[in-house]
Amino acid sequence: MSHTVGIRQNQKLRTRQALLDAALGLLEEQSLSSLGLREVTRATGITPTAFYRHFESVPALGVALVEQTLGSLHGMIGAILAETGDSEVRLDRSVELIRRHVREQPAHFRFIAREQHGGVGPVRDAIAAQLRLFAEEVAAALATEPESEGWAGEDLLMLGGLYVDHMVITASALLDAGPAGDGQVARVARRRLRLIALGALHWLDEPAQGT
């Protein structure tokens, strides 16, 4: 790659990120379905025509925001799941991971919370796909643990989904509580995670007669 090509590529990446940042700022006050392309380009200082060098549409920009927000979590959650040792510590670290990310990127998580059930189909689908992938990753990690011996694959995926649903609920609660109340939200989140973990330990128990 020549020096000139490298400069152009870096400029393109900076412009793309500027569009994402501008859209995220505008989405603090509105939903993606009401966001206009010209609003984004005006905030970025580029022409509407230049927008299409980076995204084919505003929904495509929204999908990129989903990938930017949730994609970065895969490696971190994978590292926590790969840890061995005290499960209590692992649960605590999971909650702290969510707490830290919500603190550092509140606008990103407000966007996810709003658009998860919003009116833009490709963005809803992108969020659902990322959450499904999280559930599959958690299920795969759980399958390697001795406690999961005898579990069916679909049950492990269901348990992974419970953990992921809990992550989403916790992130929304942290946003609503703000910095002043996130300690209480984190405490409740840990207790709920422990409740799920305790239930999982008894999933294969024989059901009582008559149930």
Side-chain angles (χ1 to χ4, degrees):
M1 180 183 293
S2 70
H3 179 65
T4 301
V5 173
I7 291 174
R8 288 175 180 167
Q9 183 65 22
N10 286 337
Q11 181 60 47
K12 184 176 181 180
L13 291 173
R14 285 196 295 271
T15 302
R16 185 179 190 275
Q17 187 58 51
L19 287 166
L20 290 168
D21 292 342
L24 194 62
L26 292 165
L27 289 168
E28 290 276 28
E29 306 295 333
Q30 61 186 304
S31 66
L32 186 67
S33 60
S34 65
L35 182 65
L37 182 151
R38 289 183 181 276
E39 287 181 85
V40 180
T41 55
R42 192 182 305 119
T44 314
I46 68 171
T47 65
T49 303
F51 176 92
Y52 292 106
R53 296 174 192 160
H54 305 276
F55 303 103
E56 64 180 24
S57 63
V58 172
L61 182 150
V63 170
L65 276 174
V66 171
E67 293 170 349
Q68 186 179 75
T69 302
L70 298 179
S72 64
L73 289 174
H74 287 287
M76 295 180 203
I77 289 178
I80 290 173
L81 290 170
E83 287 185 355
T84 56
D86 192 338
S87 61
E88 293 286 315
V89 173
R90 189 164 60 178
L91 293 179
D92 288 347
R93 286 201 61 197
S94 299
V95 173
E96 284 306 310
L97 172 69
I98 299 166
R99 188 180 183 185
R100 186 175 76 245
H101 267 66
V102 170
R103 278 181 175 177
E104 293 173 351
Q105 299 180 316
H108 286 83
F109 282 94
R110 273 193 289 272
F111 163 73
I112 295 296
R114 184 187 301 117
E115 300 299 332
Q116 184 180 4
H117 305 292
V120 181
V123 174
R124 281 199 318 272
D125 293 344
I127 294 171
Q130 287 285 342
L131 296 181
R132 256 194 324 273
L133 184 55
F134 277 131
E136 290 168 0
E137 290 170 354
V138 173
L142 293 171
T144 67
E145 298 183 351
E147 294 85 353
S148 299
E149 185 178 355
W151 278 61
E154 63 180 354
D155 290 347
L156 284 171
L157 186 58
M158 178 177 64
L159 180 58
L162 282 174
Y163 281 123
V164 172
D165 289 345
H166 180 273
M167 177 184 75
V168 173
I169 291 169
T170 299
S172 296
L174 288 167
L175 285 171
D176 290 341
D182 71 353
Q184 175 60 22
V185 171
R187 282 190 289 275
V188 172
R190 292 187 193 100
R191 289 173 61 83
R192 287 175 174 168
L193 274 177
R194 290 187 179 97
L195 184 59
I196 294 172
L198 285 170
L201 287 174
H202 297 282
W203 178 248
L204 297 180
D205 291 354
E206 289 292 328
Q209 292 296 320
T211 61

